[in-house]
Amino acid sequence: MRLNKIFSLTIFYLLITPFIVLILWSFTQTWPAGELLPSEFGFRGWRYILEPHSKVWHSLLVSLSLSGAVTLISLIISIPAGKAIAHYDFVGKSLVETLILAPIIVPPIAVGMGIHLSFIKYGLADSFLGVLLIHLTVTLPYSVRIFISVFKAAGTKWDEQGRTLKANWWARFRYITWYLIKPGLVTGSALVFNVSFSQYFLTFLIGGGKVITLPLILFPFINSGDRVIASSLSLIFILSSLFFMIIAEKCIEDNQRQSEFYYL
Amino acid sequence: MPYIQIQKLSKLYKGQVVIDHISLCVNHGEFVVLVGPSGCGKTTTLKLLAGLIEPDSGSITIDGQNVTNLSAEKRDVVMVFQDNLLFPHITVAQNIGFGLKMKGVKEDKIKAKVQEMLSLIQLEGMEERYPDQLSGGQRQRVALARALALEPKVLLLDEPLSSLDPALRCDMRDFILEIHKTLDMTTICVTHDCEEALHMADKIAAMFEGSIVQYAVPQEIYYRPLSGKVAHLFGRYNILECPLFDGTLLQKCKVLTEAQALTCETVVYVRPESIWITKTPTKDALIGKVLRTIFIGEKRIVCFSYNDKELVAYSWGRQEYKAGDKLFFNIRWEDCLGKSGEEDENISGCAHI
Amino acid sequence: MRSLILKKSTWLPYLMLSPVLFILGAFFIGGILLAFLQSLGYFPIIGLEKFTLIYYKEVITSPDFMAALGHSFYICVVSTLISTVIGVYLAYYIAGLSHKNKGIDFLYKIPIAVPHIVAALMIVFMVSQGGIIARLVMKMGFISEPNQFPSLIYSKNAIGIILIYIWKEVPFITLMVYTVMANIQKNLGEVALTLGASKRQVFYHVILPLSTPAIMSASVIVFAYSFGAFEIPYLLGATYPRTLPVWAYLNYISPDLTNRPIAMVISMIITVLAIIMVWLYTASLKKLVRYKL
Amino acid sequence: MFKRYICIILALAVLISGCSTSAKPAEQQDLLTSDWETIVSTAEGTTVNFYMWGGDERINKWVDTYVSSNMKEKYNISVNRVPMDAAEFINKLLGERQVNRENGSIDLLWINGENFKTAREADMLWGPFAEKLPNFNKYVEKEAPDVAFDFGYPVNGYEVPYGKAQFVFTYDSAKVANPPKSAEELLQWVKDNPGKFTYPQAPDFTGSVFIRQVMYEVAAGYESFPEEIDEQRLEGQLEPLWEYLNELKPYLWRKGETYPPDLAVLDQLYADGEILMTMCYHPTRTAGLVEQGLFPKTSQTMVWEKGTIGNTHFLAIPFNASNKAGAMVVADFLESPEAQISKYDPLKWGDLLGIDINKMEKEYQDQVADIPLGEASLPASVLAAHRVPEIPAGYIPWIEEAWYKEVARGVGN
């Protein structure tokens, strides 16, 4: 038991200390080599974020609307798809299931590089729509799989009960299905949003610099080693995705708190 | 010295009292059934006995050894769970041999024991099957065999029959009783089925809200329940206040409601079958008017009014009564009266505390 | 739980699936297909119209290929193995806590709220030669110069990259496994305990075999991700060897157009390898596990 | 049920695609023949997408504040800085060229060297537009070799000088008393101080120039690189270079097993005290970094006795720029003495002047003289006296690749 305690404390510190160092760096002015603490604190990183020219807010807005749209579309089209796979039997079902799992395994780098020129040709590159579509290919596997599990767990009995009580499809969706899929919606939106929100490569490649999201602003700073600005941007990043998750949880009340489960 | 002695056992869960100072004594070889509505703490009591959870206060002694703080795997207690819970990833034989393997018993000895168990549960030849290839009854038997293979001092059964269909249930019931007798174990069983409890138990403990309200042999708990709640567990009943002396009615009976019964000292719970109906007057009989009769197979339920209150009796045989008939209802007092009114301390069934 | 399958319907399920299938078909399958065609040197948009295997030959015979392949494998296998072991143990530990810990709520948000590049930044702050640990060790007098601290970033041992993956994937695996384990622990774990199994035995004989499918799918996802990921090794990898995705990307952005088919060949190789490995892994483990989720 | 879904999706798609409106198409065919006033009036009220390397916060800030606000004020032009490495935007343009995409998203580029050469050879640049810009005509010495040629490749008016750079080494004077001033001295110094020196890996810009810097001293100077590449001759010629670098290798940081991926990492190593020397292409950058507290206050810059490589970086307009007029107006502003002087200030950027100081008015010359360059910087005269030109751009990818094979991958290692 004692060993377990030490173990869990270690894990806890391993999770927490990097955040503390990140916060420290974001408030650093000078942190000389070899010192354990910054010799001078400052707000250079945070000032950069607040300055209108840095486009941090603009990119945050783009990021939020892009990931928000991706989440919304992803979830909406995944609900019927998840139901179809969970409750229906049809020709080619296993093929469809494989197709839906595939983007988790096939690296996005192959998809992105393969389709890049065609996107340029058909005007989808450098556009919000193009980035949205390419994000969807990455997020759909997650959301569809979540809803497959949700519908499998719920079974068809509720729907059948609804039919015998003469509810039409909308009433069944509104009063039955909706409550069944709520936990899936919370988990799904958190997962999909963040997969899209932290996507760098595909946004960069397909967005071509026209669709500037937060990771695109952050990446050069990490690459160039400006630790102070990179740290404060990272914190903004983490905070906004946490914020979204909390909002999602609050908007879609989930009284049973089932949403803590991944349905993958 | 009782074989299992539970003393003032308490368990809190999230600040709520789940088990409230339970005391209970079980003698060696006894088959004790815990009955009560769901959520009364029966299963928790079993888990405390099994060592799966630790009590907040009180003690448990088994065969003279204090096991209160002994972890589950070190107790000579085996529990069979409600949903049989066979390990789905291993075969029937491996399931039955699981406990022995954990103890480090040699492979050939395990094999012999498994064969013995399989013949005991009459599932020879099924050893290589997986749990999902068995029927519900077979699975339950395997679960039992798995527990018995360890030859535990104490066997705990948590609603062992609830997941079976009615026909299987009767067979399994007899089967369990038989094994209990042959292997000379002390068994504690939890159920919410009163018939099951009466059928199998040497003694029944009635539990409500974390407390044992009554602990007695089946006849006693059936005919002389200490409260309406206990009476309710085992079927229909009437509540009467009949001050008696030496089996003689002192004055006319009064029909009580549940609420009135709580404050009344001379309450008698009368089972419908303790009322026999005659068309001619007899001594001390209650004179009532039939309200309605319901045919339920081997008997009829006769609801009649007495002093404008409704009472219930059974009529046996092909005797038929019509609504409005005026009849005489005779109460077999010897059924309902006896050692009732014992003091609370003795509910535990322990001689000395 | 086994769910009922509704009556066979000819068109309804397809209609329900159509938006998802359209997007995945057009953009995912389309992308892979185009990458495949380009890897064969067929790309009419830029005037390449002949199928050839010459680019495959060029990649496979290049001395860089085995180095990149080995390096990619090394990073993925090590990071997946370690994060699976830690994640499984952590899930087991949390599942064993008697009342639900608030920490789980927190843990569940970390893996998705912190993107890989931020995780990378944090790990660099920790373990680089100028990082906080090196400074600490230096202050304590174990080393006198940052150079004496083992090099973990930009190094061939790729320990920094592996640490980032571990840091990021452990909570993910923990979460996916925890749910399953908590259920097993609650039911079958108790059964095993009353059958005289010690905690250790319960873990190895009951919980571990039964949660294998969950562990498996979690580690497959982690493995596939790290095998195809480009950002982290691009940011923090050694000059030589490079991982396959970095190599592919560097070829892709090369101003020399003839390098494009090379990039496609490498990315096709990554894809095929990822699929083969995931298939091998699931197939071999399926044999071990009868339990169906 | 499904009709409804489809409707929602369609509605969303329409909504979203509405967000991605491209810049208004301007009549651009005859921009090269129209006069400056027409160009300016066409450009007014438009947005210019300026694609440039985005890894230096100070440069970003300069563009985003100084350039942006001036353009807004003077011409009502919005400057949209897009951070992207040159290799990546060249690749993007290459793709667009291949599929002949009109209405590209890039209007103005910050470019030079082999990227310019690639862009020109693939016909990816629009022009020649240089002589359309009044400030170019007024302040640029067009015949100067570092303006007429970009890494030996003729500019021909397809790009205009943006600034100049010269390779310098930075060292910590508190720890290095006698900094090495030649390749030979460097080798000795590195051997005496093992683990305290390294350079970024090619094809990083700075790493690449360091390799050439060494090459000038140990193998062949810029004079021995004709426009036409003769690979066989080159291989022999560069043999001493690889020998030198491989001799250096075991004494480098991490014993040369790996190299920092870019300048930023090298600077970080220097800032953390892991190495004692760094290098860069902007002679006053070090002063700025000291001022910001990122580098030790005792940092100093130096050049080698036989000189260090200097070059010019340029601005160009892609063939499919949607807003060529706007790009020209921005480029013209960047050629102005005000912009150039602002850029010259080490606190803002510290880039050397891209225009000719002698062509400037007196007041501007005084302003230049008044700018404090910081203690870490060398005087302009010292720099000028130690500047040697670049080799033709075509050699650079070749050398970078050879470096990877001969040194990084470590043949015989």
Side-chain angles (χ1 to χ4, degrees):
Chain A
M1 223 51 214
R2 194 123 159 254
L3 209 80
N4 272 349
K5 195 132 213 166
I6 295 167
F7 179 77
S8 61
L9 272 178
T10 316
I11 293 286
F12 186 72
Y13 281 119
L14 284 180
L15 280 176
I16 294 306
T17 18
F19 283 101
I20 295 169
V21 178
L22 192 70
I23 293 167
L24 271 180
W25 265 112
S26 78
F27 286 106
T28 294
Q29 183 65 40
T30 330
W31 195 340
E35 291 305 312
L36 281 179
L37 284 173
S39 62
E40 216 179 310
F41 287 95
F43 293 92
R44 190 169 72 86
W46 296 102
R47 259 204 318 273
Y48 179 81
I49 285 168
L50 291 174
E51 275 165 15
H53 78 81
S54 68
K55 300 211 178 99
V56 173
W57 297 115
H58 179 255
S59 72
L60 187 60
L61 207 69
V62 173
S63 265
L64 286 174
S65 46
L66 174 69
S67 302
V70 168
T71 307
L72 198 66
I73 297 174
S74 202
L75 291 181
I76 288 174
I77 67 178
S78 293
I79 293 169
K83 191 178 160 72
I85 291 175
H87 291 170
Y88 290 87
D89 213 354
F90 53 89
V91 180
K93 184 169 167 178
S94 58
L95 196 73
V96 170
E97 277 181 286
T98 315
L99 173 63
I100 284 168
L101 176 70
I104 294 184
I105 291 163
V106 174
I109 191 165
V111 184
M113 295 193 318
I115 209 156
H116 189 198
L117 265 191
S118 305
F119 263 47
I120 291 178
K121 185 170 173 88
Y122 299 107
L124 282 170
D126 300 356
S127 79
F128 192 87
L129 181 65
V131 176
L132 180 102
L133 287 172
I134 208 78
H135 273 213
L136 279 178
T137 65
V138 183
T139 61
L140 277 175
Y142 292 98
S143 52
V144 176
R145 282 169 66 82
I146 284 173
F147 285 113
I148 293 176
S149 310
V150 167
F151 281 111
K152 267 193 182 152
T156 53
K157 54 183 191 285
W158 303 106
D159 209 47
E160 284 161 351
Q161 180 68 71
R163 273 170 203 268
T164 62
L165 294 172
K166 312 298 169 229
N168 61 15
W169 74 265
W170 172 245
R172 289 204 305 277
F173 180 80
R174 174 72 189 78
Y175 296 106
I176 301 171
T177 316
W178 174 249
Y179 294 95
L180 296 177
I181 63 175
K182 258 185 179 182
L185 283 176
V186 177
T187 321
S189 57
L191 194 61
V192 167
F193 182 88
N194 281 289
V195 166
S196 160
F197 201 62
S198 49
Q199 184 60 251
Y200 167 76
F201 180 74
L202 290 175
T203 317
F204 173 75
L205 194 70
I206 301 298
K210 278 290 268 200
V211 182
I212 298 278
T213 59
L214 205 50
L216 263 66
I217 297 262
L218 176 59
F219 198 85
F221 283 112
I222 292 183
N223 201 7
S224 73
D226 191 327
R227 295 178 178 181
V228 178
I229 293 181
S231 299
S232 27
L233 275 173
S234 295
L235 285 169
I236 289 284
F237 203 127
I238 297 169
L239 286 178
S240 30
S241 53
L242 277 179
F243 182 71
F244 174 84
M245 276 191 264
I246 290 162
I247 295 282
E249 265 177 51
K250 290 277 178 268
C251 285
I252 312 167
E253 292 166 57
D254 172 23
N255 298 326
Q256 283 102 53
R257 311 257 325 128
Q258 291 165 312
S259 57
E260 279 147 30
F261 305 136
Y262 269 87
Y263 289 100
L264 281 173
Chain B
M1 186 80 183
Y3 193 70
I4 303 171
Q5 193 169 346
I6 301 172
Q7 279 183 17
K8 306 217 166 114
L9 206 60
S10 288
K11 178 74 190 167
L12 295 155
Y13 183 70
K14 283 185 179 167
Q16 290 264 348
V17 181
V18 188
I19 299 293
D20 190 6
H21 294 90
I22 282 185
S23 294
L24 194 75
C25 288
V26 179
N27 294 319
H28 182 81
E30 266 185 335
F31 196 116
V32 170
V33 175
L34 288 175
V35 284
S38 50
C40 71
K42 293 170 297 189
T43 304
T44 311
T45 311
L46 277 201
K47 285 190 173 177
L48 284 166
L49 275 168
L52 289 172
I53 46 181
E54 279 181 40
D56 291 308
S57 66
S59 71
I60 301 169
T61 313
I62 295 176
D63 200 11
Q65 188 198 0
N66 187 337
V67 297
T68 317
N69 297 313
L70 205 62
S71 61
E73 66 268 25
K74 294 191 182 119
R75 291 187 196 187
D76 246 351
V77 175
V78 178
M79 183 162 166
V80 176
F81 288 78
Q82 187 168 5
D83 308 314
N84 68 62
L85 296 177
L86 294 182
F87 300 123
H89 59 299
I90 51 179
T91 61
V92 167
Q94 286 169 322
N95 258 293
I96 296 175
F98 185 86
L100 296 171
K101 190 176 166 194
M102 295 301 115
K103 275 187 173 173
V105 176
K106 281 211 185 81
E107 201 66 38
D108 49 337
K109 277 196 178 164
I110 297 180
K111 224 171 182 178
K113 189 75 191 175
V114 167
Q115 282 310 320
E116 186 192 326
M117 284 298 134
L118 279 168
S119 70
L120 184 70
I121 59 169
Q122 293 157 5
L123 285 177
E124 292 106 325
M126 300 259 193
E127 48 269 64
E128 290 314 310
R129 295 216 180 165
Y130 282 90
D132 58 358
Q133 295 166 308
L134 299 180
S135 73
Q138 290 171 329
R139 255 182 273 172
Q140 193 63 44
R141 274 186 278 169
V142 173
L144 203 61
R146 183 175 64 180
L148 296 173
L150 282 170
E151 300 174 11
K153 287 181 186 166
V154 178
L155 179 65
L156 304 174
L157 303 170
D158 186 6
E159 309 241 9
L161 308 176
S162 66
S163 57
L164 304 179
D165 54 57
L168 264 175
R169 209 177 280 196
C170 285
D171 291 349
M172 276 302 288
R173 199 191 287 172
D174 295 336
F175 180 70
I176 289 172
L177 275 179
E178 206 184 299
I179 285 177
H180 167 73
K181 284 197 190 100
T182 11
L183 299 181
D184 191 31
M185 283 177 311
T186 309
T187 306
I188 298 178
C189 174
V190 154
T191 181
H192 63 267
D193 181 330
C194 64
E195 203 189 318
E196 210 170 282
L198 294 168
H199 184 127
M200 300 201 291
D202 291 325
K203 273 186 179 167
I204 294 174
M207 270 191 93
F208 288 95
E209 289 158 5
S211 300
I212 292 180
V213 177
Q214 192 170 7
Y215 179 46
V217 296
Q219 283 86 349
E220 167 111 6
I221 208 162
Y222 182 77
Y223 283 117
R224 290 155 213 151
L226 288 178
S227 71
K229 282 193 292 190
V230 179
H232 187 79
L233 279 178
F234 298 96
R236 297 183 182 82
Y237 61 99
N238 304 293
I239 314 172
L240 293 173
E241 187 196 13
C242 297
L244 289 170
F245 183 73
D246 279 352
T248 323
L249 199 60
L250 289 183
Q251 60 181 80
K252 274 197 163 179
C253 285
K254 242 165 82 186
V255 181
L256 300 180
T257 61
E258 295 279 355
Q260 288 167 323
L262 288 178
T263 55
C264 183
E265 301 229 331
T266 50
V267 170
V268 184
Y269 296 93
V270 181
R271 295 284 170 193
E273 61 266 41
S274 297
I275 301 177
W276 111 88
I277 307 166
T278 52
K279 287 190 170 167
T280 50
T282 44
K283 184 175 174 279
D284 294 340
L286 315 175
I287 304 158
K289 206 163 81 182
V290 174
L291 295 170
R292 59 189 177 276
T293 66
I294 306 157
F295 174 68
I296 55 161
E298 82 269 25
K299 63 196 175 210
R300 265 162 233 275
I301 301 168
V302 180
C303 297
F304 64 98
S305 73
Y306 168 72
N307 284 352
D308 297 332
K309 301 266 173 47
E310 193 174 318
L311 291 178
V312 58
Y314 290 151
S315 92
W316 304 88
R318 301 193 56 83
Q319 186 67 275
E320 280 184 44
Y321 306 104
K322 285 195 291 292
D325 285 358
K326 207 168 250 178
L327 294 167
F328 299 94
F329 296 88
N330 307 275
I331 298 171
R332 242 191 309 266
W333 293 108
E334 63 271 25
D335 283 354
C336 338
L337 296 174
K339 297 181 290 175
S340 67
E342 281 175 274
E343 295 307 309
D344 279 356
E345 286 88 350
N346 288 339
I347 282 176
S348 67
C350 303
H352 308 286
I353 293 176
Chain C
M1 184 189 275
R2 209 163 290 171
S3 80
L4 280 168
I5 297 289
L6 290 184
K7 66 175 193 299
K8 274 200 181 202
S9 171
T10 44
W11 54 270
L12 190 61
Y14 298 110
L15 185 62
M16 289 162 89
L17 281 162
S18 56
V20 169
L21 290 186
F22 171 72
I23 290 176
L24 289 184
F27 303 113
F28 174 72
I29 296 291
I32 296 290
L33 220 60
L34 284 171
F36 180 61
L37 288 177
Q38 289 175 66
S39 76
L40 292 174
Y42 178 81
F43 205 37
I45 297 182
I46 59 169
L48 291 173
E49 290 192 343
K50 257 196 201 141
F51 287 98
T52 167
L53 284 172
I54 189 163
Y55 300 110
Y56 278 90
K57 202 179 150 204
E58 191 173 323
V59 168
I60 289 169
T61 55
S62 150
D64 290 348
F65 176 67
M66 284 317 285
L69 186 68
H71 198 56
S72 279
F73 254 104
Y74 159 70
I75 292 177
C76 290
V77 170
V78 173
S79 64
T80 306
L81 268 181
I82 296 178
S83 24
T84 305
V85 170
I86 298 178
V88 165
Y89 186 79
L90 206 58
Y92 171 66
Y93 174 75
I94 296 170
L97 296 175
S98 49
H99 41 85
K100 236 196 64 184
N101 202 313
K102 271 278 160 198
I104 296 186
D105 272 3
F106 176 66
L107 202 66
Y108 134 77
K109 292 186 174 93
I110 287 185
I112 44 182
V114 178
H116 275 89
I117 50 173
V118 175
L121 185 70
M122 297 202 281
I123 297 295
V124 170
F125 286 170
M126 300 299 292
V127 305
S128 69
Q129 287 179 328
I132 209 83
I133 294 174
R135 290 174 190 218
L136 204 66
V137 176
M138 207 162 96
K139 278 272 165 195
M140 291 192 298
F142 292 115
I143 56 170
S144 53
E145 275 185 68
N147 276 8
Q148 289 165 324
F149 191 75
S151 56
L152 311 175
I153 312 285
Y154 311 121
S155 60
K156 277 183 191 172
N157 58 31
I159 291 176
I161 299 175
I162 291 171
L163 283 175
I164 293 163
Y165 285 141
I166 293 175
W167 192 87
K168 179 90 166 97
E169 313 307 1
V170 162
F172 176 78
I173 291 180
T174 305
L175 248 132
M176 282 189 54
V177 175
Y178 158 75
T179 324
V180 178
M181 271 196 181
N183 274 329
I184 298 168
Q185 179 110 328
K186 215 167 56 200
N187 306 315
L188 294 168
E190 287 191 342
V191 175
L193 276 179
T194 73
L195 289 170
S198 67
K199 286 214 163 122
R200 220 186 140 79
Q201 286 175 320
V202 174
F203 179 72
Y204 284 109
H205 290 276
V206 180
I207 294 175
L208 196 59
L210 285 173
S211 40
T212 307
I215 297 170
M216 194 169 82
S217 70
S219 54
V220 160
I221 291 176
V222 167
F223 184 92
Y225 178 86
S226 52
F227 196 68
F230 140 86
E231 286 99 326
I232 306 294
Y234 180 74
L235 283 173
L236 303 174
T239 310
Y240 182 87
R242 297 155 171 162
T243 66
L244 288 172
V246 172
W247 192 30
Y249 181 72
L250 290 178
N251 270 296
Y252 187 76
I253 59 160
S254 153
D256 188 354
L257 260 194
T258 55
N259 282 351
R260 283 226 171 161
I262 301 274
M264 298 302 166
V265 168
I266 302 168
S267 71
M268 285 322 292
I269 290 174
I270 301 170
T271 304
V272 170
L273 283 175
I275 291 170
I276 290 176
M277 280 174 314
V278 166
W279 178 76
L280 274 180
Y281 183 66
T282 34
S284 65
L285 276 170
K286 241 178 209 158
K287 276 190 189 159
L288 292 173
V289 186
R290 265 195 63 87
Y291 181 64
K292 294 178 219 100
L293 255 187
Chain D
M1 163 174 200
F2 309 103
K3 241 188 208 163
R4 205 183 172 100
Y5 279 139
I6 289 159
C7 285
I8 292 169
I9 294 158
L10 284 179
L12 276 168
V14 169
L15 208 92
I16 287 151
S17 51
C19 302
S20 59
T21 47
S22 42
K24 73 166 189 193
E27 320 95 52
Q28 306 179 324
Q29 304 95 314
D30 42 28
L31 275 176
L32 288 177
T33 52
S34 45
D35 57 15
W36 187 244
E37 278 74 40
T38 325
I39 293 170
V40 170
S41 68
T42 318
E44 263 169 26
T46 60
T47 297
V48 172
N49 293 305
F50 186 8
Y51 277 55
M52 53 177 268
W53 174 68
D56 190 322
E57 179 231 338
R58 294 180 316 142
I59 302 176
N60 295 346
K61 190 174 166 180
W62 184 75
V63 173
D64 289 335
T65 51
Y66 178 80
V67 179
S68 201
S69 58
N70 270 292
M71 293 314 292
K72 196 87 206 163
E73 241 169 67
K74 294 195 166 109
Y75 306 103
N76 191 25
I77 288 177
S78 314
V79 175
N80 178 34
R81 176 179 61 81
V82 179
M84 192 181 269
D85 284 1
E88 277 147 359
F89 62 61
I90 287 298
N91 186 259
K92 177 175 150 70
L93 277 177
L94 206 56
E96 295 182 358
R97 176 85 268 182
Q98 292 305 323
V99 302
N100 276 320
R101 167 136 190 253
E102 294 302 317
N103 287 324
S105 48
I106 309 177
D107 296 319
L108 192 62
L109 288 174
W110 178 14
I111 192 172
N112 77 348
E114 74 264 34
N115 291 315
F116 174 68
K117 182 170 180 271
T118 309
R120 279 290 289 131
E121 283 174 351
D123 193 21
M124 280 152 43
L125 296 180
W126 178 79
F129 71 94
E131 301 212 341
K132 284 273 139 201
L133 311 185
N135 283 330
F136 177 82
N137 292 328
K138 193 167 170 196
Y139 295 112
V140 175
E141 175 54 55
K142 293 169 200 168
E143 301 308 319
D146 58 352
V147 170
F149 293 90
D150 183 358
F151 283 59
Y153 197 87
V155 167
N156 287 341
Y158 280 89
E159 52 179 10
V160 293
Y162 183 23
K164 280 178 194 165
Q166 185 171 1
F167 187 63
V168 293
F169 288 93
T170 300
Y171 64 100
D172 189 344
S173 61
K175 291 173 184 160
V176 184
N178 291 310
K181 298 231 166 162
S182 68
E184 207 178 323
E185 282 179 44
L186 179 72
L187 185 62
Q188 195 50 50
W189 186 87
V190 172
K191 281 181 176 173
D192 293 343
N193 299 275
K196 291 296 181 193
F197 180 82
T198 189
Y199 53 94
Q201 69 188 40
D204 174 77
F205 208 63
T206 313
S208 179
V209 76
F210 171 78
I211 294 166
R212 292 196 296 279
Q213 180 66 44
V214 171
M215 179 181 77
Y216 279 15
E217 298 208 355
V218 303
Y222 59 92
E223 317 85 2
S224 36
F225 288 91
E227 193 54 46
E228 208 56 39
I229 301 181
D230 177 355
E231 288 202 11
Q232 249 172 357
R233 197 174 66 89
L234 196 59
E235 266 171 35
Q237 225 172 6
L238 295 186
E239 208 47 54
L241 172 63
W242 310 134
E243 265 166 33
Y244 176 92
L245 290 175
N246 278 320
E247 197 182 340
L248 199 62
K249 191 171 171 179
Y251 304 100
L252 292 179
W253 174 75
R254 301 259 179 102
K255 300 190 172 67
E257 277 174 7
T258 192
Y259 296 83
D262 55 31
L263 173 64
V265 175
L266 187 77
D267 281 347
Q268 197 61 62
L269 291 175
Y270 175 76
D272 284 343
E274 285 191 48
I275 54 172
L276 295 179
M277 269 199 248
T278 179
M279 54 193 82
C280 79
Y281 229 138
H282 295 298
T284 55
R285 185 165 181 271
T286 301
L289 290 168
V290 170
E291 195 65 36
Q292 283 187 328
L294 298 174
F295 273 7
K297 291 199 165 56
T298 44
S299 297
Q300 276 294 337
T301 54
M302 60 153 179
V303 289
W304 280 358
E305 271 157 9
K306 288 181 188 162
T308 53
I309 296 174
N311 71 24
T312 310
H313 45 104
F314 296 84
L315 297 166
I317 300 173
F319 73 100
N320 63 353
S322 307
N323 184 11
K324 298 188 176 86
M328 283 163 85
V329 175
V330 175
D332 179 62
F333 171 72
L334 292 174
E335 298 291 293
S336 70
E338 297 98 313
Q340 288 287 328
I341 290 168
S342 167
K343 188 162 67 74
Y344 182 62
D345 185 346
L347 284 179
K348 287 180 179 142
W349 176 349
D351 193 28
L352 297 182
L353 298 176
I355 55 177
D356 192 343
I357 191 158
N358 300 320
K359 289 198 166 195
M360 285 186 188
E361 288 83 352
K362 178 79 176 60
E363 47 168 317
Y364 289 131
Q365 289 182 1
D366 293 345
Q367 279 181 32
V368 172
D370 286 348
I371 290 177
L373 292 179
E375 277 181 35
S377 302
L378 294 170
S381 56
V382 176
L383 286 173
H386 289 85
R387 188 176 302 161
V388 289
E390 275 288 3
I391 55 170
Y395 287 97
I396 288 170
W398 199 94
I399 294 174
E400 285 166 355
E401 231 163 88
W403 175 81
Y404 188 76
K405 284 186 196 138
E406 300 281 341
V407 182
R409 197 164 66 198
V411 179
N413 231 20

